[in-house]
C-alpha cells in the first residue's frame, strides 16, 4: 500500500456540482504522517530500479595520450531514505519531500591505452545528499474517481564518489572527476521520473474507491465529490455527495443537504461526518421501492407472549370482531405511508415514521377479510455504530400514537388496541428492522482499508466518526 493510496482520502477531485455535501471527511496531520510511513517503502523500492546506462568514451591523459574507457554492469546495491516528510500546502495540495537520501551502486570498469594495454576491475559508487520534492496533483478520471500525478518535482544530488578496485593504482583517479560528474547527472536525471512513476502506478489501486457503492439489491450510495478539497495547515477537508439512490434509476429526493462543519478534533487520523440528509435519502429510496412494509402473523409472535393475533384477542376490545369472525387468526400489515425522517441532535438520533396498520381476518380458505386500518405514528431512538467498513444501527421504541383510519367492524376505541400494537412493534417489527440495520451501509473506502480505534458521536444535524486507519498489505 503506497502513500498515494492514502492520499485518495485527502486529495479527491472536484466536480461540477456545487450543492452541500451529505458526507464530509477530514484527514488530520496524524493521518498524513501515517500516509508518509506507508509510502516510503514503496518509493524506496522504486528507486532501486534506477538504471545507469553503460558509459564509454575516450579521454586524453598526459603523458599517456588517449585512453579508452568503459563502465558497465552498474547495479543498485542499497537505497537509504533516512529523512522524509509530507506537508499540506494551504489552498494547493500535498507536497512530499525526501532529503539526505543515499544510493550504493556497484559495477565493472575497463580501460585500453597504447593500443595494446588493457586493464579492468570493479568499482563502488556512493551517491549522497540526494533530495526529491514532488507535489502531488489529483484529477478526475472518466468515472469520477481520482487519478494522481507528480508535478513540480525537483531533485538534486550533492555528491557522487567512485572507488575503483583492481588494475594499476595510477589509473584509479584518472577519470574520477569526469566520471563523478557524468554519474551524478545521470542519477539526478532519473529521480523525478521514477517518483512520478511510483505515484502514477497507484492509479489502478485508486480505482478501488467505492464512488458508487452497492448497499443491497435496492439501493446504492454515491461518494463522488461535490467541491474541491479544502487544504489548511493541519488538515484536508473533503466534501462527498453521500446520497442513496435506487439501483438503475437515480432520482433526487424532495429535500437537500444542509451545511455543516466538522469540529476541530485532531486525535484520530480520520474524521467522517454523515449528515441526516444521507440517511434520509436512504429512507426516500427504500420507501419508493416499497420495501418498508411487513406482514405479521401469529406464528411470528413469541410463544411466551400472552398476546396472540386472533379474532378472540381483538374481539376482547372490539366485540363485533368476535361475533362476525369467531375462532380465526389475524394478519397485520404494517407499512410506511411517508418517508421516515431521521433527526440528529447532540447524543440523540431519532427516527419519526408515519405508517398504517391493516388488520385482516384469515378465513379458512386463506382469503383475507379486512377488519380495520389504523394510522400509526412512531418515534424510535437509534444507536449508531461502525461494523467493519459499514455504518450500522439498532433502534428501540420511544413512543407510538394510533388513530382510526377505516373500520369495517363498526366504531371502537382505538386506544384500547395500544397494548396489542405495542407488543407487536417491540417483539416483531423492531427486531426485524434491527436485522436490516445491522447489515449497515458501506463507508467510503479503498483497497484493504480497516478502521481501528473508532468512536461515533451524534451531533447537531450529523453524526461524527472518529477513527484511525490501517491498510493490509
Amino acid at each position: 500500500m503506497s502513500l498515494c493510496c492514502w492520499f485518495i482520502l485527502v486529495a479527491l477531485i472536484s466536480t461540477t456540482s456545487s450543492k452541500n455535501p451529505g458526507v464530509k471527511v477530514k484527514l488530520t496531520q496524524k493521518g498524513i504522517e501515517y500516509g508518509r510511513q506507508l509510502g516510503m517503502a514503496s518509493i524506496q523500492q522504486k528507486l532501486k530500479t534506477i538504471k545507469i546506462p553503460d558509459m564509454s568514451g575516450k579521454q586524453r591523459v598526459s603523458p599517456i595520450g588517449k585512453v579508452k574507457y568503459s563502465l558497465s554492469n552498474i547495479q543498485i546495491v542499497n537505497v537509504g531514505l533516512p529523512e522524509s516528510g509530507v506537508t499540506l500546502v494551504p489552498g494547493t495540495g500535498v507536497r512530499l519531500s525526501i532529503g539526505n537520501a543515499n544510493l550504493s551502486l556497484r559495477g565493472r570498469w575497463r580501460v585500453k591505452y597504447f593500443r595494446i594495454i588493457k586493464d579492468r576491475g570493479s568499482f563502488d559508487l556512493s551517491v549522497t545528499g540526494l533530495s526529491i520534492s514532488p507535489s502531488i496533483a489529483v484529477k478526475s478520471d472518466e468515472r469520477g474517481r481520482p487519478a494522481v500525478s507528480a508535478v513540480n518535482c525537483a531533485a538534486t544530488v550533492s555528491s557522487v564518489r567512485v572507488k575503483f578496485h583492481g588494475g594499476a593504482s595510477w589509473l584509479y583517479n584518472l577519470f574520477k572527476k569526469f566520471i563523478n560528474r557524468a554519474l551524478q547527472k545521470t542519477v539526478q536525471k532519473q529521480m523525478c521520473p521514477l517518483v512520478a512513476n511510483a505515484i502514477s502506478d497507484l492509479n489502478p489501486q485508486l480505482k478501488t474507491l467505492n464512488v458508487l457503492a452497492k448497499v443491497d439489491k435496492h439501493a446504492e450510495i454515491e461518494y463522488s465529490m461535490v467541491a474541491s478539497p479544502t487544504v489548511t495547515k493541519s488538515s484536508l477537508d473533503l466534501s462527498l455527495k453521500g446520497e442513496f439512490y435506487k439501483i438503475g434509476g437515480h432520482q433526487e429526493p424532495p429535500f437537500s443537504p444542509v451545511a455543516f462543519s466538522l469540529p476541530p478534533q485532531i486525535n484520530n487520523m480520520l474524521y467522517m461526518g454523515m449528515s441526516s440528509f444521507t440517511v434520509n435519502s436512504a429512507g426516500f429510496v427504500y420507501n419508493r421501492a416499497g420495501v418498508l412494509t411487513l406482514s405479521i402473523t401469529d406464528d411470528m409472535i413469541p410463544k411466551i407472549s400472552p398476546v396472540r393475533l386472533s379474532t378472540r384477542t381483538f374481539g376482547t376490545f372490539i366485540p363485533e370482531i368476535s361475533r362476525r369472525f369467531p375462532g380465526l387468526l389475524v394478519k397485520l400489515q404494517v407499512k410506511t405511508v411517508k418517508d421516515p425522517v431521521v433527526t440528529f441532535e447532540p447524543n440523540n438520533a431519532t427516527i419519526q415514521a408515519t405508517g398504517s396498520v391493516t388488520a385482516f381476518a384469515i378465513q379458512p380458505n386463506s382469503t383475507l377479510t379486512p377488519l380495520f386500518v389504523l394510522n400509526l405514528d412512531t418515534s424510535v431512538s437509534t444507536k449508531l455504530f461502525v461494523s467493519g467498513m459499514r455504518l450500522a444501527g439498532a433502534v428501540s421504541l420511544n413512543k407510538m400514537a394510533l388513530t382510526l383510519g377505516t373500520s369495517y367492524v363498526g366504531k371502537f376505541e382505538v386506544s384500547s388496541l395500544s397494548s396489542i400494537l405495542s407488543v407487536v412493534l417491540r417483539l416483531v417489527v423492531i427486531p426485524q428492522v434491527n436485522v436490516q440495520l445491522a447489515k449497515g451501509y458501506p463507508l467510503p473506502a479503498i483497497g484493504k482499508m480497516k478502521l481501528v480505534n473508532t468512536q461515533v458521536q451524534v451531533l447537531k444535524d450529523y453524526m461524527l466518526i472518529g477513527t484511525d486507519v490501517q491498510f493490509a498489505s
Side-chain angles (χ1 to χ4, degrees):
M1 179 58 63
S2 161
L3 176 66
C4 298
C5 261
W6 179 242
F7 283 164
I8 182 63
L9 294 174
V10 303
L12 291 174
I13 46 96
S14 61
T15 63
T16 55
S17 175
S18 60
K19 64 185 292 186
N20 288 325
V23 173
K24 285 192 173 186
V25 177
K26 178 194 291 287
L27 185 69
T28 67
Q29 191 63 47
K30 182 179 179 182
I32 293 288
E33 173 60 21
Y34 178 60
R36 181 196 65 79
Q37 296 172 18
L38 290 177
M40 295 319 298
S42 175
I43 292 178
Q44 187 172 30
Q45 290 300 315
K46 203 69 177 180
L47 292 178
K48 288 182 179 180
T49 67
I50 289 176
K51 300 296 183 183
I52 306 296
D54 293 350
M55 302 173 61
S56 62
K58 298 178 182 180
Q59 183 74 13
R60 182 172 293 277
V61 179
S62 180
I64 298 173
K66 287 184 179 179
V67 177
K68 293 182 179 180
Y69 69 90
S70 68
L71 302 177
S72 61
N73 270 352
I74 305 174
Q75 304 289 331
I76 297 287
V77 177
N78 186 52
V79 176
L81 302 176
E83 298 176 7
S84 63
V86 177
T87 57
L88 294 169
V89 183
T92 302
V94 179
R95 189 166 184 82
L96 172 65
S97 61
I98 300 172
N100 201 28
N102 58 81
L103 305 176
S104 298
L105 303 94
R106 183 171 297 159
R108 304 292 298 177
W109 65 267
R110 177 182 297 179
V111 295
K112 181 179 180 181
Y113 55 96
F114 292 152
R115 294 187 178 182
I116 59 172
I117 301 176
K118 299 178 181 179
D119 209 347
R120 68 182 63 188
S122 64
F123 69 89
D124 292 321
L125 178 66
S126 176
V127 181
T128 58
L130 189 152
S131 65
I132 315 166
S133 298
S135 294
I136 297 175
V138 184
K139 61 181 181 179
S140 173
D141 67 8
E142 68 280 358
R143 294 195 61 190
R145 291 187 174 95
V148 295
S149 60
V151 296
N152 301 324
C153 181
T156 60
V157 175
S158 295
S159 67
V160 174
R161 295 182 179 181
V162 182
K163 184 178 181 180
F164 292 94
H165 307 285
S169 60
W170 66 271
L171 289 171
Y172 291 179
N173 296 315
L174 275 181
F175 311 110
K176 186 171 291 187
K177 183 177 180 180
F178 170 76
I179 292 172
N180 282 359
R181 185 166 59 248
L183 290 174
Q184 181 174 350
K185 184 177 180 181
T186 299
V187 171
Q188 186 169 300
K189 186 177 180 180
Q190 294 192 53
M191 293 298 99
C192 283
L194 283 173
V195 173
N197 287 340
I199 293 172
S200 296
D201 285 349
L202 270 299
N203 283 320
Q205 297 182 47
L206 299 185
K207 291 182 182 295
T208 64
L209 174 69
N210 54 346
V211 169
L212 196 61
K214 183 178 179 180
V215 180
D216 52 33
K217 65 180 181 180
H218 303 289
E220 57 194 3
I221 183 170
E222 183 175 341
Y223 284 123
S224 61
M225 292 292 296
V226 299
S228 299
T230 302
V231 185
T232 69
K233 291 182 178 180
S234 60
S235 69
L236 239 161
D237 298 329
L238 312 176
S239 298
L240 310 181
K241 193 168 189 179
E243 182 172 349
F244 280 79
Y245 287 110
K246 178 184 176 181
I247 292 179
H250 285 198
Q251 179 184 358
E252 297 297 325
F255 49 86
S256 300
V258 298
F260 69 99
S261 299
L262 300 185
Q265 298 184 20
I266 59 173
N267 292 332
N268 289 113
M269 296 179 185
L270 187 70
Y271 291 92
M272 288 185 279
M274 306 286 173
S275 72
S276 56
F277 166 82
T278 296
V279 289
N280 281 326
S281 70
F284 172 79
V285 168
Y286 286 112
N287 194 36
R288 293 299 182 281
V291 298
L292 300 183
T293 182
L294 180 63
S295 294
I296 306 169
T297 53
D298 185 68
D299 58 356
M300 299 169 68
I301 304 293
K303 295 187 181 298
I304 61 172
S305 172
V307 173
R308 311 311 314 171
L309 295 187
S310 65
T311 54
R312 179 179 179 181
T313 299
F314 285 95
T316 302
F317 307 99
I318 309 171
E320 183 67 10
I321 292 179
S322 293
R323 188 184 68 80
R324 293 174 53 185
F325 308 103
L328 299 181
L329 293 175
V330 170
K331 179 178 181 178
L332 300 179
Q333 185 180 65
V334 181
K335 66 178 182 178
T336 58
V337 296
K338 294 181 180 179
D339 299 335
V341 177
V342 178
T343 56
F344 288 141
E345 296 292 339
N347 303 315
N348 184 25
T350 303
I351 302 176
Q352 303 287 338
T354 299
S356 65
V357 180
T358 303
F360 300 92
I362 305 175
Q363 299 290 353
N365 61 1
S366 298
T367 60
L368 301 177
T369 302
L371 302 176
F372 55 80
V373 179
L374 301 178
N375 302 317
L376 174 66
D377 290 304
T378 60
S379 170
V380 296
S381 292
T382 307
K383 179 183 178 182
L384 298 166
F385 56 93
V386 172
S387 176
M389 286 304 303
R390 300 175 77 91
L391 178 64
V395 300
S396 57
L397 183 64
N398 283 337
K399 58 183 179 180
M400 71 173 194
L402 296 172
T403 58
L404 182 62
T406 303
S407 176
Y408 302 97
V409 289
K411 293 183 179 181
F412 61 90
E413 192 66 37
V414 174
S415 59
S416 63
L417 300 180
S418 293
S419 59
I420 298 177
L421 268 297
S422 178
V423 169
V424 170
L425 288 177
R426 295 179 189 277
L427 296 184
V428 181
V429 177
I430 296 297
Q432 295 266 2
V433 170
N434 284 338
V435 167
Q436 297 303 313
L437 291 178
K439 297 177 181 178
Y441 71 82
L443 296 168
I446 55 168
K448 296 180 181 180
M449 181 175 168
K450 179 182 178 181
L451 304 184
V452 294
N453 304 322
T454 305
Q455 304 91 35
V456 177
Q457 290 179 274
V458 178
L459 303 172
K460 175 65 175 176
D461 294 329
Y462 72 99
M463 55 155 293
L464 181 68
I465 300 172
T467 185
D468 292 333
V469 177
Q470 290 180 354
F471 286 101
S473 57

